[in-house]
Amino acid sequence: LKEVLTHAKEKPHLCKLCHKGFTHGSSLKLHMVTHTGEKSHVCEICQKGFIQANKLKRHMLTHTGEKPHVCKLCHKVFTQASTLKKHMFTHTGEKPHLCEICQRGFTQSTHLKSHMLTHTGEKPHVCEICQKGFTQSSHLKSHMMTHTGEKPHVCKLCQKRYAHASALKHHMLTHTGEKPHVCEICQK
């Protein structure tokens, strides 16, 4: 029955709070935690909480440093098999998740979902201080540094601090003398 429901795309288990449908009752039960915020599986080392025990188990690898999954092509190592699988797209060039509007391809479904916001104009991540909206939570997080003054990226050579990694990367050119952008006319 479970397999039939999955292939039929029927979702008889509905969330009473947001009306999202699920094919399995167990999936609805997991979903309900998004409303309650309950994270009953807690890391004893850093106190980070997780909804599922298997997510805590996976998290523990960040503390042990164990990276059991190895890319056979470049020998890069990963803590999770799913991350290795995503990494393999860098070798194959495959982008299986296509935007139906502009045909742009993505290696991950989450990247496609985020991209779709460029077509809708929706900006679900809003700054609580200035109400500026962003399509991605990472962009909001980066924006928040303009309010907090936080500059977590530090030059190891001169200790100058930057809010964004890209600014630090650009700054490093002053130390190396590298000039990555060359004029096509005068070669300077």
Side-chain angles (χ1 to χ4, degrees), residues 128-143:
E128 292 180 0
I129 297 169
C130 69
Q131 275 59 62
K132 185 171 182 178
F134 299 89
T135 55
Q136 297 177 32
S137 61
S138 60
H139 294 171
L140 171 59
K141 186 178 178 183
S142 179
H143 163 79

Side-chain angles (χ1 to χ4, degrees), residues 2-167:
K2 279 187 176 182
E3 196 171 312
V4 172
L5 284 174
T6 302
H7 292 295
K9 297 201 184 329
E10 285 183 38
K11 297 181 178 181
H13 304 277
L14 293 178
C15 173
K16 291 182 174 124
L17 297 172
C18 70
H19 309 294
K20 187 172 180 177
F22 298 89
T23 52
H24 310 295
S26 58
S27 299
L28 172 59
K29 189 176 178 183
L30 276 175
H31 164 78
M32 290 308 293
V33 180
T34 63
H35 296 299
T36 65
E38 180 188 349
K39 293 181 178 179
S40 57
H41 305 280
V42 180
C43 173
E44 292 178 2
I45 297 169
C46 69
Q47 277 60 60
K48 186 171 182 179
F50 297 89
I51 295 167
Q52 296 173 289
N54 67 327
K55 300 287 193 270
L56 171 59
K57 186 178 178 184
R58 188 172 70 186
H59 162 79
M60 291 309 292
L61 294 174
T62 64
H63 295 300
T64 64
E66 184 185 349
K67 294 183 177 183
H69 306 282
V70 182
C71 174
K72 291 177 181 167
L73 297 173
C74 70
H75 308 291
K76 192 170 180 179
V77 291
F78 302 91
T79 55
Q80 301 168 37
S82 60
T83 310
L84 170 59
K85 186 178 177 184
K86 290 172 190 172
H87 163 78
M88 292 308 293
F89 291 131
T90 63
H91 297 300
T92 64
E94 184 184 357
K95 294 183 177 181
H97 305 281
L98 284 180
C99 174
E100 293 179 0
I101 297 169
C102 70
Q103 308 313 306
R104 185 172 171 190
F106 298 90
T107 56
Q108 297 177 43
S109 61
T110 53
H111 294 168
L112 171 59
K113 188 176 179 181
S114 179
H115 164 78
M116 291 307 292
L117 298 174
T118 64
H119 294 301
T120 65
E122 184 185 351
K123 295 182 178 182
H125 307 282
V126 179
C127 175
E128 292 180 0
I129 297 169
C130 69
Q131 275 59 62
K132 185 171 182 178
F134 299 89
T135 55
Q136 297 177 32
S137 61
S138 60
H139 294 171
L140 171 59
K141 186 178 178 183
S142 179
H143 163 79
M144 289 307 292
M145 290 181 200
T146 63
H147 297 300
T148 64
E150 183 185 357
K151 294 182 177 181
H153 305 282
V154 183
C155 174
K156 290 180 176 134
L157 298 172
C158 70
Q159 312 316 298
K160 195 164 182 183
R161 302 180 74 88
Y162 295 90
H164 307 289
S166 59

